[in-house]
Structure formats: structure tokens, C-alpha cells
Amino acid sequence: MLRRYFRFLVVLFVIQSVAPLQIVAKEKTYTASSWVELGETLFYHGNFDEAIRAFQQALKVDPDVRDAHLYLANLYMEKKEYANAIDEMEEVMKKKPEDSKMKFLLGNLYRLENKLEKAAELVEDSMDGGVDKTQAHNLLGFIYLQKAEYDKARTHLEEALGKSPKLPEAHLALTIVAFKEGKKDEAFREIELAIQNKKEFAEAHNLKGDLLTSDSKWKEAKEEYLIAIKQNKRYAQALASLGNVCLKLNDSDGAKKYFEEAVEINPSDKNAVCGLALMLEKIGENLRAQELFERVCMMETDPNTIAGLKMRISQLRDKNKYIIGEPKPELEPELDTSTNPEALQATQEIMQDTNSIKPFNKNFVEIRDGKKSR
């Protein structure tokens, strides 16, 4: 153990002093285990891209190094490259196809890729082995929640809570199940239990905010979103929801601030981009509003919503001709962006989804032997 730790310190000294892979690549006798040790050190110090290269080098030397595949799966999951993570886990499974723990972990990755049938099959198979039954029921609860099979989701989540009554993630998922079943009082009870049983749980505070917005309790919802953001400063979904709540509270400055932050963190968040576009249009920044609505239009898939957005974009384009020096066009009153029903409906349909209760698709499962990934 001490020798292994000493080797880690030596490698750490090297990577902090020089470009690691440029140096070690010159070592023709560098072994697969040496590449793995370098990769481990880079991994635990957050240098993910270099770690990936080190583990890939290990596999070039020896394609059967199990730890290299497992670490790569962890790294790809950290980067949200779930398809690549699945490829690595499948390589591990080829060697031990009946390994229950690997079935469980691969099932979780399939869930994150939204391949839910395969995910459920693998996790259910894993329960015949030595997998922790509480975690298996909890994961199946999330899978069936994503499948919108709420009866099955409830069954598995209640099984998990029967074995571990304080499991916060199970309470979180059961909150969504209860809400989808129209049991709002139960949803509020479950979200409180989720918050009580985990010291910092940004996702739970965000979900409580969503529940409160469903009751039009804007001020209370705002407090929950602020807690979520305090616990996770880069929580784009909570920032977008907070921007929407600020709109409801007629706080234009707050709405603009939070939508801007959400879009900076996640430029592909359709709701945040649409919210920011609406806010900019409201305060007269029509050129940028037009650009953002065009971006939303490219992300949208519903034909009716796209048609409405194009109408709104066309109207803004006419206004913007005047801004950049052309004569101001005469708009028919019924075509004004603020009153035209089709243009309004397009953005309303997008924005009403901002604070809605959605099936949860977050990873709560570590890969490498149940250890923290960092």
C-alpha cells in the first residue's frame, strides 16, 4: 500500500512539473499498469481529458485492463458522454457477463441515455445477484418514473424506502410520482422528507419550487430556487425557473439577470433562451431578442410552435429594420407581437414548461466499485 502511494506521489510530482503525456509517451517500456496509475492520479485531481488519454494508452498496451475501462466509464459519465460510458461498461461486461454489479451500473447508464427498456431489464436481472436491493429498487423507481409508469415507479420506490426510510433520492422521485398522480399533498410531504434527509440537496429545493409555482406561490417558490442556486451556483434549470418567477413578480431586472446566467451555463436550454428573448423584447432590446427567438426556433420540434415563433421573428425583424436605419414599417395592429395570438401561444407553450414537474434524469449512482468518482 505504501509503495503504491509513493508511486502516486512520484507521478503527481511529474504531472505538476511537466506535460505528463508528452514525457511518458517517450517511454517505450511504459506498462499498462503505469498508464493506469497516471490516469488515476489525473482523474482524482480533476484533469479529465489527460486522464482519458492515459487510460486509452493503457488499453493500447493491454486491451483487457478492466480498471481502465471502468475509469473511462466514470470519466465519460462526468462529461455526460453516456454513449461512450456505455461502450466502456460493455467491454467490462464481455469478460464477466453475469456480474450483477456491472449489470446494475450499466443499467443506470442506459437510463441516462433514455434507453429505458434495456435499463429496466439489466437492473432487474442484477437483483438476482449480490446487488444492494435498496439501491436496485430505487434505481428501478427512477427508470419507471422516466417511462411514465407511475404505479411501477411507486412500487419500487416504496420498496426502497421500506428498507431505508431516509433515502432522500427515493423521496424526491416519489414527490414526482405523487404529483403526476394528482396527490399534491403527498408530493409536498415527500419533498420535505427529501430535504430533511440530505443536508444540501439542490435538486429537492428546485423541485419544491416547481411544486409551489404549480400553486402560483411565486414568492415562496423564489425562496426555494434561491436555496437551490446557493447550493449549486451552476444550476441552470433553477436559474431559468427563477427567471420565470421574477417575470410573474414583475421583477424585470431579476428575470433578465437569472435568464442571462442560465443561458450562459447552458446555451441549449430552450426554456431559458426563450425566457431571455421574451425579457429582452419586453425592455426593447429587439435585435438580440430576434437572435434568441431564432435560436429557439432551431431547437423546437413542434410544427405549430415553430410557425408561431417564425411569425414572432418576422415581426421583430420588421421592427429591427427601423432600429438599423430603415424607415419604420407600418404594422397592422393585429400583427403586433404583443397581441398576436399565434405568436404569443408559441412562446407561452415553451415557457409554461419552465417550472413544470418533469421525470428526473440525474445520476445518483457511482461506477467504480461504489467509490466516489473524485
Side-chain angles (χ1 to χ4, degrees):
M1 178 67 182
L2 287 174
R3 288 178 62 193
R4 182 179 175 84
Y5 181 64
F6 177 73
R7 287 198 302 271
F8 266 29
L9 291 178
V10 171
V11 174
L12 179 58
F13 173 78
V14 171
I15 67 172
Q16 290 177 335
S17 304
V18 293
L21 296 182
Q22 291 177 359
I23 297 297
V24 296
K26 296 176 182 177
E27 299 288 342
K28 295 191 182 294
T29 59
Y30 222 62
T31 64
S33 62
S34 299
W35 282 113
V36 169
E37 285 182 6
L38 175 59
E40 284 177 332
T41 306
L42 291 162
F43 177 62
Y44 284 111
H45 285 82
N47 196 342
F48 291 166
D49 290 336
E50 294 288 352
I52 287 172
R53 290 171 63 194
F55 292 124
Q56 288 172 340
Q57 288 292 332
L59 292 170
K60 285 182 181 179
V61 177
D62 182 356
D64 295 328
V65 179
R66 183 174 183 271
D67 267 8
H69 288 297
L70 286 169
Y71 270 116
L72 281 170
N74 257 312
L75 284 158
Y76 288 131
M77 190 162 71
E78 288 277 357
K79 291 162 69 71
K80 295 183 170 55
E81 297 178 14
Y82 301 129
N84 287 335
I86 287 170
D87 288 343
E88 297 300 331
M89 287 298 296
E90 286 179 341
E91 287 299 318
V92 175
M93 288 288 292
K94 285 178 183 177
K95 303 298 179 186
K96 294 180 70 176
E98 297 307 315
D99 187 323
S100 294
K101 188 169 187 178
M102 293 303 108
K103 285 182 181 179
F104 174 81
L105 296 172
L106 184 56
N108 181 56
L109 286 170
Y110 275 122
R111 175 183 73 88
L112 293 168
E113 269 287 272
N114 211 37
K115 296 179 179 179
L116 302 177
E117 293 293 340
K118 188 67 174 175
E121 178 185 335
L122 282 167
V123 177
E124 296 211 10
D125 284 350
S126 78
M127 294 177 73
D128 295 331
V131 170
D132 183 289
K133 297 295 191 292
T134 302
Q135 291 300 325
H137 281 298
N138 187 45
L139 184 52
L140 283 166
F142 274 88
I143 291 168
Y144 286 115
L145 175 57
Q146 283 175 237
K147 285 167 65 67
E149 296 181 22
Y150 301 124
D151 288 344
K152 287 184 179 179
R154 176 181 286 279
T155 297
H156 285 289
L157 292 167
E158 288 178 347
E159 283 282 349
L161 288 168
K163 298 173 185 298
S164 181
K166 294 186 177 182
L167 190 62
E169 290 80 19
H171 286 296
L172 181 78
L174 200 51
T175 299
I176 302 172
V177 171
F179 182 85
K180 294 293 186 181
E181 293 175 338
K183 301 173 182 176
K184 194 174 284 189
D185 289 344
E186 181 189 350
F188 275 105
R189 288 196 301 272
E190 290 297 330
I191 201 61
E192 290 298 339
L193 288 169
I195 291 168
Q196 289 170 20
N197 289 315
K198 192 169 182 177
K199 187 176 180 181
E200 289 197 355
F201 201 176
E203 293 82 11
H205 286 287
N206 181 68
L207 182 54
K208 185 178 178 183
D210 292 345
L211 286 172
L212 289 164
T213 61
S214 73
D215 280 346
S216 300
K217 295 180 179 179
W218 311 117
K219 291 181 179 179
E220 295 94 327
K222 182 179 179 180
E223 291 303 314
E224 294 300 323
Y225 293 132
L226 286 170
I227 293 170
I229 294 162
K230 184 178 180 181
Q231 294 179 0
N232 180 359
K233 291 181 173 57
R234 294 188 60 78
Y235 199 165
Q237 184 182 335
L239 285 162
S241 295
L242 186 53
N244 201 37
V245 166
C246 287
L247 277 176
K248 299 291 186 181
L249 294 170
N250 296 314
D251 177 7
S252 296
D253 290 340
K256 184 173 183 290
K257 173 181 182 291
Y258 294 120
F259 282 133
E260 290 273 20
E261 291 180 20
V263 171
E264 181 181 356
I265 293 166
N266 185 5
S268 62
D269 185 331
K270 180 175 64 178
N271 297 332
V273 176
C274 187
L276 181 57
L278 287 167
M279 192 65 253
L280 291 170
E281 184 183 12
K282 184 176 181 181
I283 61 178
E285 295 186 27
N286 290 329
L287 279 170
R288 191 168 171 222
Q290 177 190 324
E291 292 171 2
L292 291 172
F293 278 128
E294 287 170 350
R295 194 194 304 180
V296 175
C297 197
M298 292 176 67
M299 291 187 276
E300 184 57 60
T301 56
D302 179 70
N304 293 329
T305 303
I306 290 171
L309 284 167
K310 285 182 176 179
M311 184 178 294
R312 193 160 200 145
I313 291 164
S314 176
Q315 292 159 6
L316 280 169
R317 191 176 289 125
D318 286 341
K319 289 182 180 180
N320 289 334
K321 286 179 183 177
Y322 173 70
I323 292 172
I324 60 177
E326 294 186 17
K328 185 175 181 179
E330 292 294 327
L331 292 180
E332 294 293 330
E334 68 272 19
L335 292 179
D336 188 272
T337 309
S338 61
T339 58
N340 182 261
E342 290 84 356
L344 273 173
Q345 184 179 1
T347 49
Q348 287 172 349
E349 286 176 353
I350 295 171
M351 292 308 297
Q352 71 184 4
D353 189 51
T354 303
N355 305 76
S356 64
I357 310 296
K358 306 175 187 70
F360 216 76
N361 190 28
K362 179 179 173 64
N363 177 52
F364 292 110
V365 181
E366 303 292 345
I367 287 181
R368 190 174 185 272
D369 298 328
K371 295 177 182 176
K372 293 284 184 183
S373 57
R374 272 183 288 210

